Amino acid sequence: MTKYFYLILAFAMLALSSCSSIYMPSVPNTPMLTTQGEIAAGAHISLKGNANFNSAYAISNHFAVLANGAYLNNEATKKDIKHKMIEFGAGYFDTFGPDNNRILEIYAGVGSGKSHRLFREFDEQKILLSTDLYDSKYDKQFIQVNYSSKKKDKLRLFGVNFALNYGTALRMSFVKTNDFFRNGVKQPNEDNVFLEPVFFTRMILSDEVQLQYTSGSNFGLKNRKFLNAGNSVFSVGAVVNLGRAKKK
């Protein structure tokens, strides 16, 4: 368990690190759908207070629609960060493997976000010297591939055995700012392409409810001053799956 503790701690330090990037990646939607009519809903929160909400609905045995959102309002002495984002998407899912316990999901979609960041500089007497204000909206398109397994491992915690599932999501996001202002002065818009590999672990509490730990990174393929890869993904949350067909 020691190595897992240090791994979690490392991701926590990444999540707490300061950055000025306009873009903040969200927790990718990983619904692990298997049958028509299934509904998946999740809520996740990071150490920074970035709340993510994911939902998915299987409209057939292989096609689904998604809706995602994120909200952050973090005010501190030296820095205020406010962020809102919404996404919609659709895609394909399928199960495979000897027991159909592995899931492949491919989704694509569009979204938009709004970022407000205020930075303050103080002298040694804590007198305010200057402020730097960023206000921007951005549009995005994304494509992602999820691979997950319902093959269960065991974790013994407080004398109770819990089953664990694992998965990964590789997302590529195409982001472009619009209406970007710095200290009230309109700035040239920027664009970037982000690679966002994410890994998640789910602890099964019941057939419908699972706790999820998510960790991941964010890599920008273009060198940009403000729209850069300054944030990583680290969150804990819960996922609910309803309407799943029972195994025969």
Side-chain angles (χ1 to χ4, degrees), residues 76-90:
T77 302
K78 293 185 177 181
K79 178 174 58 178
D80 294 346
I81 299 178
K82 298 180 182 179
H83 176 258
K84 298 179 181 178
M85 185 278 304
I86 191 168
E87 296 175 344
F88 297 98

Side-chain angles (χ1 to χ4, degrees), residues 1 54 61 185 220:
M1 293 295 293
N54 298 333
N61 281 326
V185 180

Side-chain angles (χ1 to χ4, degrees), residues 57-125:
Y57 176 69
I59 59 178
S60 73
N61 281 326
H62 292 291
F63 293 96
V65 291
L66 310 176
N68 309 319
Y71 177 79
L72 171 65
N73 187 353
N74 193 335
E75 298 182 356
T77 302
K78 293 185 177 181
K79 178 174 58 178
D80 294 346
I81 299 178
K82 298 180 182 179
H83 176 258
K84 298 179 181 178
M85 185 278 304
I86 191 168
E87 296 175 344
F88 297 98
Y92 173 86
F93 67 90
D94 197 9
T95 59
F96 63 98
D99 299 315
N100 279 332
N101 59 5
R102 292 168 174 81
I103 304 171
L104 177 67
E105 300 174 288
I106 303 173
Y107 299 114
V110 298
S112 63
K114 185 176 182 180
S115 177
H116 171 92
R117 294 170 185 265
L118 176 61
F119 299 88
R120 305 178 186 88
E121 183 180 356
F122 297 87
D123 64 12
E124 295 180 355
Q125 286 73 42

Side-chain angles (χ1 to χ4, degrees), residues 83-170:
H83 176 258
K84 298 179 181 178
M85 185 278 304
I86 191 168
E87 296 175 344
F88 297 98
Y92 173 86
F93 67 90
D94 197 9
T95 59
F96 63 98
D99 299 315
N100 279 332
N101 59 5
R102 292 168 174 81
I103 304 171
L104 177 67
E105 300 174 288
I106 303 173
Y107 299 114
V110 298
S112 63
K114 185 176 182 180
S115 177
H116 171 92
R117 294 170 185 265
L118 176 61
F119 299 88
R120 305 178 186 88
E121 183 180 356
F122 297 87
D123 64 12
E124 295 180 355
Q125 286 73 42
K126 297 184 179 181
I127 297 176
L128 181 64
L129 298 177
S130 64
T131 60
D132 198 4
L133 174 62
Y134 302 77
D135 271 309
S136 178
K137 298 178 182 178
Y138 64 83
D139 298 318
K140 67 180 295 187
Q141 298 85 40
F142 69 88
I143 183 170
Q144 73 180 65
V145 178
N146 304 341
Y147 170 79
S148 52
S149 174
K150 290 185 177 295
K151 182 179 179 181
K152 299 176 182 178
D153 290 336
K154 297 291 185 180
L155 172 66
R156 188 167 182 83
L157 190 63
F158 304 118
V160 180
N161 288 325
F162 292 94
L164 300 178
N165 290 330
Y166 302 92
T168 183
L170 178 60

